[in-house]
Amino acid sequence: MFPMQRPIVDVAYCPFDSLVPFLPLYPKSSLVLGWVEPLRLLTGGLTLASLMKPTLCFSERFEYFAKKSQQFCGNEYVGFNNSLALSLKDHSNRLYAIGHYLRENNCFSKDTKYEDLEKTMELFIHYSAIEMTCDAASVMAATLASGGLCPLTGEKVVYPEAVRNCLSMMNCCGVNDYS
């Protein structure tokens, strides 16, 4: 069907290549050309969700993320899509399997308990349900392009070093289905 399709073993560049036993859980479309896009996206997202303000309670962590997103967008519309969050939660078996795998392989802080892992996965689902307009997303891109300085408000949202690292990762890894 795909003349250029490569076997799964060609994904040795992926640091999570030991997740190969989970691959049958993924739909065929995610394995086109032998790439393991969803694994990198989910593992990175879960790890970052666990690191973002871990001392705050769940609601404060989400509020911090939402406000930071709004700062990136120059106070343009940033909302939360509850029906998407509920749908993601209903279909998150893969996410939970990967989360437990990451915890088992010490990818999270050693202080992470089972309850913390559940909250981290819930938080990642909530982060994934953030929505914004195209205008807001373009301002977010402009903020990244200007080294963390929002062009609408003139506010320094993040340090230039963080932007440099973020853009390097985006360039190397891509985003979502293009990772």
Side-chain angles (χ1 to χ4, degrees), residues 60-129:
E60 291 170 337
R61 292 173 76 185
F62 179 76
E63 190 66 28
Y64 172 81
F65 182 79
K67 285 186 179 188
K68 190 55 86 170
S69 298
Q70 198 162 29
Q71 286 177 324
F72 260 98
C73 297
N75 298 320
E76 294 282 326
Y77 171 77
V78 174
F80 176 72
N81 187 330
N82 191 50
S83 58
L84 176 60
L86 293 172
S87 175
L88 289 170
K89 188 172 182 174
D90 287 344
H91 300 92
S92 62
N93 293 334
R94 231 174 271 131
L95 175 69
Y96 282 82
I98 290 171
H100 289 287
Y101 181 86
L102 290 173
R103 185 184 62 176
E104 180 181 315
N105 288 281
N106 302 316
C107 293
F108 297 124
S109 167
K110 296 196 185 313
D111 300 330
T112 303
K113 302 178 197 105
Y114 179 78
E115 298 82 21
D116 294 340
L117 180 61
E118 295 293 318
K119 288 179 183 174
T120 296
M121 289 189 276
E122 182 82 17
L123 197 59
F124 176 73
I125 288 170
H126 277 68
Y127 289 168
S128 299

Side-chain angles (χ1 to χ4, degrees), residues 70-76 135-157:
Q70 198 162 29
Q71 286 177 324
F72 260 98
C73 297
N75 298 320
E76 294 282 326
D135 290 341
S138 66
V139 174
M140 182 180 274
T143 301
L144 287 172
S146 65
L149 187 69
C150 179
L152 295 185
T153 63
E155 178 182 9
K156 183 178 180 179
V157 181

